[in-house]
Structures are given as structure tokens and as C-alpha cells.
Amino acid sequence: MQIELRVMDLLISRLCHDLISPAGAIVNGIELVEEFGEDGMAGEDMTAEAMSLVGRSARQLSAKLSLFRVAFGSAGERDNFPVDECRRLLDGYLQEGKVRLDWTLDRLPPEPGGARLLLLLAIIAAESLPRGGLLRIEGSPVGDPVAFRAVAQGEGAKLEAVTEGALEAGKANSGAPAELDARMAPAYLAGMLAARRGNRVHIVREAGAITLSV
């Protein structure tokens, strides 16, 4: 799969954007602890609060790095990628946010790249819930052509037209649209992966819900 240099740049920008906040919080927490130590005025409560910030931010950073490693990189290209590992990665990614995860998927298609496509669509679905809500990851009965679904349910659920356009452009492999930015780059990559696998990504909009199915 050939990816335009511009798309790679945008994915790297997206990666850095999502990691800078928890990384910065870790630095701030450590600086607070150091400042308390130098002044000799740190109470147990203040130190504990600073260390709690460091620990929480470190977990966020690790969770995001772990998920992006699979969704954006070759780690997700393995045959028969463990479905439980996908769940663990997504659960960690969402743990500090407003979106809750409901996972009932018990298998992934055995072909390479299924884990990447699932996680990318899950990221897109979660971001369609600006006020929070429920992200359901589910499969279908044996024989159903749908391999898996990412269903975003919540107040104000909305898939931006530019995100859908990026997904469609990736499926058509027609080149990255001029308006593509770092926020929409995962949708473009998801479209490319789906096209390469011979899959189709269907989008269904309902009141308070967005469904992305493969």
C-alpha cells in the first residue's frame, strides 16, 4: 500500500497532537514535585495530587501510543491479530474520556490489516461523539456479510462531511483531497485499508447514532 508523503506527514502530526497533552501533563507534574521539594513546603496532599497527575497522564500516554502503533503502523498487519488485544487497546484509549466502550465482537477477519481497520473506524466513531456516549463494537452472525460494526450512540452524534469525504477519497485511492488535515487523516487511511482488503465501509446515520460497518 503506497501512502502519499503528505498523508504520512498528517498522520505524524495527528500522533504528535494527541500525545503532547499527556506528555506535557507529566512534565508539569514532575516540575511541581521538584518545586515542592526545593521549597520544603510540600504537604503530603499536594505531593500526592502531583503524583496522581503524573500517573494518570503516563497511563494516557502509554494507552494512546499502544493504540496508534497498531492503528497507524505495521503492527496491525499481522494475520489473526488477537481480538482481545484490540479490545484492550481501545479500552485503554478511551478510559479517561467521555466515551464508554461496549464490546461484543468475538472475532476478526483472518486477513492482514483487520485490526488496523477496526481500530481506525473505532477512533472515527468515538470522535463523532463530542458530548460523550457509548461506542459499541459488535460483529454479526456467521454468514452475514458484515464483519464488524462501530456504533457511536450519544447526544449530538455527528460524522462530519469532511471526515466522510476523507474516507471516500481513501477508498477511491484518488489522492488526498486538498482539505485533508491531521484530524481527518485516520479516515483517509481507513478508506485505503478497506479498498486494499476489498472491503466496503458503510455509513448509516440515525438520530443520535452513527454506524460504520465493514
Side-chain angles (χ1 to χ4, degrees):
M1 178 178 59
Q2 297 296 320
I3 301 179
E4 297 176 44
L5 181 60
R6 176 165 162 260
V7 177
M8 293 176 62
D9 288 343
L10 291 173
L11 286 170
I12 293 171
S13 295
R14 168 62 191 260
L15 178 69
C16 293
H17 175 273
D18 281 25
L19 298 182
I20 193 64
S21 179
I26 292 171
V27 173
N28 290 339
I30 293 174
E31 288 178 346
L32 283 174
V33 172
E34 291 175 342
E35 181 180 340
F36 294 156
E38 291 174 358
D39 294 343
M41 300 174 58
E44 290 185 4
D45 290 345
M46 296 175 68
T47 301
E49 183 177 349
M51 291 308 299
S52 175
L53 170 65
V54 171
R56 184 170 63 253
S57 300
R59 288 190 294 272
Q60 287 180 352
L61 183 62
S62 177
K64 289 183 176 184
L65 274 172
S66 297
L67 181 133
F68 290 152
R69 174 175 172 269
V70 176
F72 292 177
S74 60
E77 289 293 318
R78 290 164 42 197
D79 292 341
N80 297 308
F81 193 95
V83 68
D84 289 343
E85 179 68 4
C86 284
R87 177 178 184 171
R88 185 189 69 81
L89 291 170
L90 189 56
D91 191 49
Y93 177 76
L94 298 172
Q95 65 180 342
E96 299 292 341
K98 298 181 292 183
V99 177
R100 295 175 291 111
L101 178 64
D102 178 29
W103 186 291
T104 59
L105 183 67
D106 60 1
R107 66 187 186 280
L108 282 171
E111 299 86 359
R116 295 183 72 186
L117 184 55
L118 170 62
L119 292 176
L120 286 166
L121 293 181
I123 291 170
I124 296 166
E127 290 177 351
S128 71
L129 294 170
R131 302 179 186 176
L134 180 67
L135 173 60
R136 297 199 336 260
I137 305 296
E138 56 189 31
S140 297
V142 175
D144 192 307
V146 173
F148 50 79
R149 298 183 182 89
V151 184
Q153 292 180 303
E155 184 180 356
K158 181 180 180 181
L159 185 67
E160 299 289 345
V162 288
T163 301
E164 183 175 354
L167 183 63
E168 293 296 325
K171 287 162 57 178
N173 199 21
S174 57
E179 66 272 17
L180 187 69
D181 61 17
R183 183 173 57 90
M184 297 179 293
Y188 185 85
L189 179 59
M192 291 186 67
L193 284 170
R196 186 189 67 173
R197 290 167 47 86
N199 292 138
R200 295 183 61 189
V201 178
H202 297 273
I203 302 170
V204 177
R205 291 179 172 85
E206 300 174 292
I210 301 292
T211 299
L212 303 173
S213 61
V214 173

